Amino acid sequence: MGYTVAEKILLSHSDADRVEPGQVVMVRCDVVLANDVTGPVAFRQMEKMGTSAVFDPSKVVMVADHFAPAKDERSAILIKRLKDWSLEHGVVFYDQGRGGIEHTLLVQEGWVVPGSVIVGGDSHTCTHGAMGAFSSGLGSTDIAYCLVFGEFWQAVPGTIQVTVSGEKGHFVTGKDVILAVIGQIGAGGGTGNVLEFVGPGVQSLSIDERLAVSNLAVEAGSETGIFPADDQTAAYLDGRTEKAWQPVHSDPDASYSRRIAVDFDRLGPLVAKPHNPENVVPVSEIVGTPIHQVVVGNCSNGTMTDLRQAAEMVKGKRVHERTRMIVVPATQEIYRQAVAEGLVDILVEAGASISTPTCGPCFGGHTGALAPGENALATINRNFKGRSGSPEASVYLGNAYVAAAAAIAGEIVNPAEVAS
Amino acid sequence: MIAAGKAVLVPGTNIDTDVLYPGIYLNIDDPEQMKPYLFEGLDPALRDQLDGDTVLVVGENFGMGSSREHVPLAMKAWGVRCVVGSSFARIFYRNCINLALPAITCPDAVKAAKPGSQISVDAAAGKVTVDGREFTAAPVPPFMLEMLERGGLIPWAQHKLAQS
């Protein structure tokens, strides 16, 4: 019996002679990531373990992004702790103004190559599957163990194969592919599994769009969403990394726990209604829902592709008087490029506010919390009750076209109507 | 490993980490200081039931979402001894195991439990007892059992460091 991509990567990063779903193995990490929320908790756990020695500082990355820029003293103390620890241990630290949102940043900076194992103290570490890596979001005690020993325990997951086919229509993006999957299998439907994306439709998903797909794999309960490396992956990595890598593909006789399909020919823009990402409906089903805040950004959809889509929608128009629009470029590099391309000017002219890269408005931390009774349409990954501020607010998830169109219309609208 | 306590029911399916511990309180890294915010987005009154040794009884896909260890850290700080559920989200489950807080899958026990029921859990034997009635739980894999027996990932790490 052959192996899936996930099984092959776990086999190559463990001492096991063979692997099968359910088997627990110790897996070696190529990158260990944490942020200002999960890092300091991990450092406490490390102290309890009785050591401060890091297994390999060259494989450790710390990013200040959740409460950065610090919203209050308590947040500033956490960020300082992250920075001081990083300097003391000689690991890479991305401070505000020097990095951005951790997952987009790590991919951009060439930390992630196909076939590697990326672990992070953040559930959206699953994003790195877009590069053909096995990536896993872990808690802080796990991260502490990884910092000391460079490995973590892992029950080998099964693999759900997602075949993408058809011609992608206008205003349809990677976000719609993953919302379709979550709608199909449910918020717990991928538990104990990775998603593996294959088929002719994968070619029409850029790296930016794949990042959005993989980013929401955890919203289906999955460990990660893997795109086996292809020409686009290679072209993206060219000049971006010095790490050696080889593409990893599943064997033809690999065993899958389930096979599902997404057909672009039958896929329009989708929205996930409150308060669970599995509440997926076509945009057309909920047009007219008033929207008080739009957020374009976050680790799922803060890429150049997303900013271009948002700018395309709002160019020469004004954000509706009912609505606030917040745009969060995911990294400093993306911010600069958006300025260079004139996107920032288009967005600001339309009435959008541009934020420094931060996770703040996504998790309700700061920079865009919602009041009771307000509705948001956001390109983020979670619409849980209270996720972005008041528990009496409602968050709808959609792609950047859908979000920007809602900002112009002041309500949920089919993007084609705003574009025409 | 035997864990026992009084049942506190947390009803609902797909209870996510954000209602269990809202993001605004994530800038706290001391478990004692996390206690006042457990269940804050779900039902703050649940905290009033966390008196002495308790066992949380939860529904399907409990703990979905974030990797925030604040949830099980705050549970442990409140004296929660075990979580018995219909099913668990992945990261929440592994956080519990790493902190030696048994997360036991046993849908029949979940159905049988009432507020205040006396629950005891024998993870190795795969048994959950609710007010004297015994139910069979999903087997806990040997690795996770060993982790629970050792007291979680921190003692596990201490042991490994002592060996090297």
Side-chain angles (χ1 to χ4, degrees):
Chain A
M1 184 62 80
Y3 287 127
T4 65
V5 174
E7 289 166 345
K8 285 185 182 183
I9 297 175
L10 294 179
L11 189 60
S12 70
H13 285 72
S14 72
D15 292 333
D17 299 326
R18 52 186 295 279
V19 292
E20 60 181 358
Q23 176 190 351
V24 178
V25 290
M26 297 306 294
V27 181
R28 292 183 288 274
C29 321
D30 296 306
V31 176
V32 181
L33 162 73
N35 58 48
D36 48 308
V37 165
T38 58
V41 178
F43 306 153
R44 278 177 178 261
Q45 301 298 65
M46 232 176 126
E47 282 166 24
K48 287 187 195 161
M49 288 172 186
T51 181
S52 67
V54 172
F55 81 107
D56 182 349
S58 73
K59 293 182 176 174
V60 176
V61 191
M62 296 289 160
V63 185
D65 59 4
H66 274 63
F67 284 101
K71 77 175 184 77
D72 55 17
E73 182 181 352
R74 207 160 64 182
S75 307
I77 290 169
L78 282 191
I79 293 169
K80 183 175 188 298
R81 196 168 293 159
L82 190 75
K83 181 178 184 174
D84 291 348
W85 188 94
S86 300
L87 292 175
E88 186 187 333
H89 291 83
V91 310
V92 171
F93 171 64
Y94 291 101
D95 206 344
Q96 76 183 63
R98 294 179 171 82
I101 298 175
E102 55 200 91
H103 305 302
T104 320
L105 179 69
L106 257 61
V107 171
Q108 172 194 293
E109 296 299 305
W111 285 91
V112 185
V113 295
S116 61
V117 171
I118 316 292
V119 297
D122 188 277
S123 58
H124 291 111
T125 305
C126 55
T127 309
H128 306 290
M131 300 301 293
F134 183 92
S135 61
S136 185
L138 303 176
S140 289
T141 304
D142 264 325
I143 290 300
Y145 193 89
C146 290
L147 289 170
V148 177
F149 298 107
E151 62 179 20
F152 62 107
W153 62 271
Q154 171 73 41
V156 176
T159 297
I160 298 174
Q161 187 187 55
V162 185
T163 301
V164 187
S165 61
E167 293 288 319
K168 190 169 71 165
H170 201 182
F171 309 123
V172 175
T173 75
K175 183 73 156 220
D176 303 296
V177 172
I178 190 63
L179 288 179
V181 170
I182 300 165
Q184 201 173 136
I185 69 175
T191 305
N193 286 278
V194 302
L195 305 174
E196 183 183 315
F197 294 86
V198 296
V202 165
Q203 282 300 320
S204 63
L205 294 171
S206 66
I207 295 295
D208 283 355
E209 291 193 72
R210 293 177 192 185
L211 293 173
V213 174
S214 300
N215 180 269
L216 276 87
V218 65
E219 275 29 277
S222 305
E223 310 251 343
T224 182
I226 297 180
F227 284 81
D230 62 9
D231 292 348
Q232 286 198 63
T233 321
Y236 182 88
L237 286 170
D238 189 24
R240 203 178 284 271
T241 191
E242 289 174 0
K243 297 186 180 199
W245 62 274
Q246 291 290 325
V248 182
H249 295 277
S250 292
D251 292 325
D253 60 342
S255 179
Y256 293 92
S257 50
R258 190 174 173 185
R259 286 183 163 90
I260 62 173
V262 176
D263 182 1
F264 275 130
D265 291 337
R266 297 166 59 185
L267 186 68
L270 301 173
V271 169
K273 299 190 294 181
H275 297 285
N276 186 330
E278 73 180 17
N279 295 337
V280 176
V281 295
V283 169
S284 54
E285 262 188 39
I286 47 166
V287 293
T289 306
I291 293 296
H292 307 96
Q293 180 164 296
V294 162
V295 175
V296 175
N298 156 263
C299 57
S300 56
N301 290 90
T303 66
M304 280 309 296
T305 299
D306 299 291
L307 300 191
R308 287 179 191 134
Q309 290 166 354
E312 176 189 332
M313 296 306 295
V314 306
K315 187 171 185 179
K317 301 187 174 74
R318 290 289 298 170
V319 171
H320 194 277
E321 60 188 15
R322 178 195 289 146
T323 313
R324 307 177 296 272
M325 183 178 186
I326 302 169
V327 179
V328 191
T331 67
Q332 291 290 111
E333 184 178 303
I334 291 168
Y335 200 150
R336 279 193 79 190
Q337 193 172 342
V339 171
E341 287 187 20
L343 304 182
V344 168
D345 192 48
I346 291 169
L347 291 160
V348 171
E349 189 182 11
S353 46
I354 313 289
S355 161
T356 191
T358 178
C359 308
C362 174
F363 77 102
H366 56 96
T367 320
L370 298 167
E374 287 193 322
N375 297 331
L377 207 159
T379 66
I380 63 176
N381 32 41
R382 290 189 175 136
N383 56 357
F384 301 155
K385 195 175 182 193
R387 172 73 180 178
S388 302
S390 169
E392 286 143 60
S394 294
V395 179
Y396 296 77
L397 309 177
N399 72 36
Y401 288 123
V402 173
I408 298 301
E411 59 186 33
I412 297 179
V413 64
N414 196 316
E417 286 184 31
V418 170
S420 60
Chain B
M1 178 181 193
I2 310 283
K6 175 174 65 83
V8 174
L9 272 50
V10 184
T13 58
N14 294 321
I15 299 297
D16 62 72
T17 48
D18 290 58
V19 296
L20 290 169
Y21 190 99
I24 193 82
Y25 308 115
L26 287 176
N27 56 2
I28 296 170
D29 66 343
D30 175 0
E32 277 301 311
Q33 291 180 42
M34 297 171 191
K35 286 172 67 177
Y37 308 112
L38 183 65
F39 302 132
E40 184 68 13
L42 183 66
D43 178 6
L46 280 170
R47 289 195 296 266
D48 300 337
Q49 300 178 44
L50 299 178
D51 178 25
D53 294 342
T54 54
V55 173
L56 297 180
V57 179
V58 305
E60 283 177 26
N61 198 28
F62 183 82
M64 74 168 184
S66 163
S67 69
R68 60 192 67 170
E69 206 159 302
H70 302 62
V71 178
L73 282 170
M75 286 174 177
K76 282 200 74 162
W78 271 111
V80 173
R81 301 296 173 208
C82 180
V83 188
V84 176
S86 301
S87 64
F88 295 98
R90 181 185 74 92
I91 307 179
F92 175 79
Y93 177 79
R94 64 179 299 142
N95 283 345
C96 287
I97 299 298
N98 288 338
L99 295 173
L101 176 64
I104 305 296
T105 305
C106 187
D108 292 338
V110 172
K111 281 183 207 133
K114 296 179 178 59
S117 286
Q118 281 301 318
I119 298 187
S120 77
V121 173
D122 184 338
K127 299 288 183 195
V128 177
T129 308
V130 181
D131 294 329
R133 290 174 63 199
E134 195 174 274
F135 300 93
T136 301
V140 180
F143 181 92
M144 284 71 147
L145 269 181
E146 193 183 343
M147 182 73 70
L148 291 171
E149 296 287 352
R150 290 253 198 106
L153 197 52
I154 289 172
W156 182 285
Q158 289 167 338
H159 179 72
K160 188 168 172 176
L161 285 167
Q163 280 181 328
S164 61

